[in-house]
Each structure stands twice: as structure tokens, then as C-alpha cells.
Amino acid sequence: MVLITGIAGYIGSHTAYALSQAGFEFVGMDNFANSRKENIDTLRELTGKDFKFYEVDMLDDAGMEKIFAENQIDSVIHFAGLKAVGESVEKPVLYYHNNITGTLILLEKMKKYGCKKIVFSSSATVYGNPAVVPVNEDMPTSTTNPYGSTKLMIENILKDVCVADKDFCAVLLRYFNPIGAHKCKKIGENPNGIPNNLMPRLCQAALGITESLTVFGTDYPTHDGTGVRDYIHVCDLADGHTAALKKAMDSTGALTYNLGTGNGYSVFDLIHTFSRVNGVEIPYKICPRRPGDVPAVYACPDKAFNELGWKAQYDLEDMCRDSWEFIKEATKNN
Ligand code: NAD
Ligand code: UDP
């Protein structure tokens, strides 16, 4: 049985669906800090499975104990965490406590119940401002904000656990920039509060919720001056977890993989592709660089292909189309 922490979130919900399609049994937990309860009903409908769900905060020791006591959990996919970079700068203690203490409590329960397999949601943010792109898994790591530091610290904690327990396996997945949504239009990224990331902000401008999209900087050393990232369809990312879980089942030690497409697209590339495939104008205005942003980051995805047999299938047009279809559906009654 797989435990999915943060199952109600954007990537957790898509991964639960992918795992279900691949025949895995799972239980889920979330405290809805950044997601909606309805997502659980939607997931049960989509998967046709009445999987067990626990509304628990991972900081709640007794709540976590109950999940492990009531289920034979042999592996964990660990999504639960707070992820807003700006908020992490304002509230570092909240971020360190939630993400790190929460993971430590999870690891204590795993140890107590003999669960030795974990797939962890890390991030390309651990590459900091890379000296060269594409980035591969052996490149130096550094962080520029508390959120990123929690990811790097958890990676290191999991590596230490693998050293201490030779049967333990931690697969550290460094996600690049997930966008898009499942074709059913019922799960996707619809964050609570004001979004930070480009695609949800772009959708808000397209819907007229905001007056325009702010383009942060046109003076980067990139092909059109705007920041370059590796956007990856969330369904590809979800499939990467199925592959990673299979790998964890018959491996030991800490294994690190980039989950990206290997393609770098700029902010203008995204705006123009979105406009073209969806037939909508994106009003935008150009502003100075956002502090902390790096010029260009995209993945070398070869290791995931060679060792997990996983490769992204969707292109930027699919991602733009699916993001738009989902957000129109999610906001149609507002
Ligand atoms: P999300 O916010 O949609 O999902 C995270 C889920 O964790 C939410 O449902 C939230 O309610 C839950 N959660 C947070 N703290 C919790 C706690 N203490 N107890 C129980 N549940 C808790 O985010 P996402 O985009 O689905 O990201 C999933 C994971 O992937 C996160 O760890 C995130 O840091 C990481 N990640 C995301 C991105 C991205 O761009 N979306 C990129 C790299 C890494
Ligand atoms: N970006 C932007 N306007 C926004 C949000 C983001 O121009 O409203 C740019 C940002 O500078 C970066 C890219 O879009 O170059 C991706 O930003 P995002 O926050 O989505 O991801 P991250 O910076 O964490 O990779």
C-alpha cells in the first residue's frame, strides 16, 4: 500500500490518478492548507476507487501514527509541503517547521512501521543559479530562499537515512516547472490565494481576473530577454512518479532524478504559444526583474530516461491548451 501525502494538491492528485491507472493501491492524507476537500471526491470519481483518505496535518504525531497503524504502508510518495517562495521569505519558521518537522515525523513513522521506500518531491530550485544549462543531477546545489532550503535539507536528511539503513531507498525527484492539467478538466492548478507562478498568473490575465500579466524582466541573456524555464506537463510528471516508485521497490540508497523535458522556453514563448493555441489575447506589461529569479534553467532529462525509462510526452501546445481548458472549467461559476 502506498501512502500519498499532499494527495489533494496539484501534483498529488494527478499522481494518484496515474498510480490508480497503473494498478497501485494507495491511501491519501492532506490538511488542505493549499487545496480543496472536493478534490478528494473528484479523485474518487475519476479513479472509481473509494480509497482511504485522512484529513491530517503531518505535524500531528498521533494523526500520522493512526495512518500507519491502520494500513500496511510499504512506500510513501511525499508531496505534502508549503511551496510559495515569497511567503517562505516572509515566514521562514513556518516553512522550516511544516516541511522539515513534518518530514521528520513521517520518517519516524516509517521507521517504526518498517516502511523503507520513499519518493520525494524536490525541485529544480536546488540548482540555484546554474553556471551552465541544461542542468544534470551532479551539478552543485545551492538555494536562494527558505522554501528551496527546505527541499535541499530534506534531500540531505533522506540521503543520511539511506546511509544509516542499507535497505532504505529514497528517490529524490527534482521537478522543473509543472503546468497543464488532466484532460478531464476536473483536476488542475487552482491555488488558494494569489498565485506566484507564471501559468496561473497568465490564466488570470487571460480570464480578465487581473488587468494584465507582469513580465518580470526583458533584459536577461536569453533568446528574447525573458526568463527561460523547462515547463513540463503535470501528467508527464505524474507518470514519472509511477516509474520512480517502481524503481524504489527494487533499489536501495538515494537516487536523484530531474523530471523535465530538456526544452527551455521563455516567458514570451509561453505567452505567444498560449495565445495561438487558445485564441485568446494575453494583456501584459513589462516590469523589472523579480528579485531572486535566475535567467535560465532547464533539465538534462537523460538520467530519468536511462534509469527509469521515463520521458516527457507532451509539448508546450498541449500544456497551454490543457491549462486553459481546466481553468475555464474551474472558474466558470465564479
Ligand atoms: P500543492 O500546494 O498543490 O500540494 C501540496 C499539498 O500538501 C497541498 O494539498 C497542501 O494542503 C498539503 N500540505 C501542506 N502542508 C501540509 C501538512 N503539514 N500536512 C498535510 N498536508 C499538507 O503543491 P504541488 O504543486 O502539488 O506540489 C507538491 C510538492 O511538489 C510540494 O512539496 C512542492 O514543494 C513540490 N514542488 C512543486 C513544484 C511546482 O511548481 N508545483 C515544483 C517543484 C516542487
Ligand atoms: N514570471 C513572470 N511573471 C509572473 C510570474 C513569473 O514573468 O507573473 C517569470 C519568472 O520571472 C520566470 C518564469 O516566469 O522567468 C517562471 O516563473 P515561475 O514563478 O513560474 O517559476 P520559477 O521562477 O520558480 O521557476
Side-chain angles (χ1 to χ4, degrees):
M1 179 70 75
V2 186
L3 169 63
I4 306 180
T5 75
I7 192 173
Y10 175 44
I11 307 171
S13 55
H14 285 82
T15 301
Y17 181 74
L19 283 190
S20 164
Q21 294 293 100
F24 286 92
E25 296 286 322
F26 58 85
V27 298
M29 65 81 71
D30 205 299
N31 68 350
F32 303 118
N34 193 40
S35 50
R36 295 172 174 80
K37 287 190 187 185
E38 305 88 84
N39 293 358
I40 301 302
D41 298 329
T42 306
L43 256 183
R44 286 187 174 135
E45 260 173 51
L46 277 179
T47 58
K49 288 192 181 140
D50 195 19
F51 60 86
K52 271 204 222 174
F53 171 75
Y54 293 81
E55 183 173 350
V56 164
D57 189 317
M58 63 177 168
L59 296 171
D60 169 9
D61 196 286
M64 293 301 285
E65 176 79 29
K66 188 171 152 64
I67 299 174
F68 278 83
E70 290 184 356
N71 302 281
Q72 287 260 323
I73 293 166
D74 48 35
S75 56
V76 177
I77 306 189
H78 183 30
F79 295 103
L82 297 174
K83 65 163 185 176
V85 172
E87 187 185 49
S88 82
V89 176
E90 286 158 26
K91 300 175 184 169
V93 178
L94 173 72
Y95 271 67
Y96 285 114
H97 188 48
N98 189 76
N99 294 3
I100 305 231
T101 314
T103 301
L104 291 175
I105 292 173
L106 171 67
L107 286 169
E108 278 170 4
K109 299 307 164 201
M110 289 177 68
K111 185 169 171 59
K112 180 169 172 185
Y113 287 89
C115 174
K116 290 172 186 276
K117 309 285 176 184
I118 189 168
V119 176
F120 171 61
S121 301
S122 188
S123 167
T125 193
V126 302
Y127 292 114
N129 186 357
V132 285
V133 282
V135 288
N136 68 50
E137 293 81 352
D138 298 327
M139 284 186 180
T141 51
S142 67
T143 59
T144 53
N145 57 69
Y147 164 71
S149 298
T150 69
K151 292 292 166 196
L152 198 51
M153 285 179 192
I154 296 169
E155 283 199 5
N156 288 331
I157 291 167
L158 291 171
K159 285 177 185 168
D160 288 342
V161 171
C162 290
V163 171
D165 182 346
K166 297 292 175 228
D167 298 327
F168 200 94
C169 182
V171 181
L172 314 174
L173 298 180
R174 294 178 176 163
Y175 310 155
F176 283 69
N177 292 58
I179 58 172
H182 192 268
K183 291 256 181 265
C184 69
K185 307 181 201 177
K186 290 186 173 149
I187 50 175
E189 186 172 28
N190 190 13
N192 299 339
I194 302 162
N196 295 290
N197 295 114
L198 179 58
M199 181 55 93
R201 284 185 175 218
L202 188 153
C203 287
Q204 289 199 337
L207 287 165
I209 295 172
T210 53
E211 217 169 85
S212 61
L213 171 71
T214 305
V215 176
F216 293 132
T218 51
D219 58 348
Y220 285 110
T222 59
H223 62 272
D224 61 18
T226 64
V228 165
R229 297 290 183 274
D230 187 337
Y231 297 96
I232 174 167
H233 198 295
V234 67
C235 291
D236 276 332
L237 201 62
D239 288 340
H241 290 75
T242 313
L245 189 61
K246 288 179 183 160
K247 180 78 178 173
M249 291 305 189
D250 57 17
S251 308
T252 57
L255 304 168
T256 307
Y257 299 103
N258 285 341
L259 292 187
T261 64
N263 301 311
Y265 290 107
S266 72
V267 176
F268 282 153
D269 289 336
L270 200 69
I271 293 174
H272 296 142
T273 306
F274 190 98
S275 293
R276 181 166 46 77
V277 302
N278 295 320
V280 283
E281 280 306 306
I282 312 292
Y284 67 84
K285 62 173 192 280
I286 292 165
C287 288
R289 295 180 181 191
R290 183 170 65 175
D293 275 354
V294 298
V297 190
Y298 55 95
C300 169
D302 295 353
K303 191 176 172 202
F305 180 66
N306 293 333
E307 296 186 18
L308 302 178
W310 170 89
K311 193 175 187 294
Q313 305 294 329
Y314 293 95
D315 64 19
L316 195 65
E317 293 192 356
D318 299 318
M319 299 182 220
C320 289
R321 198 176 293 117
D322 293 344
S323 286
W324 183 232
E325 290 302 322
F326 166 73
I327 203 68
K328 277 194 300 181
E329 189 72 18
T331 54
K332 83 175 174 200
N333 297 321
N334 292 358

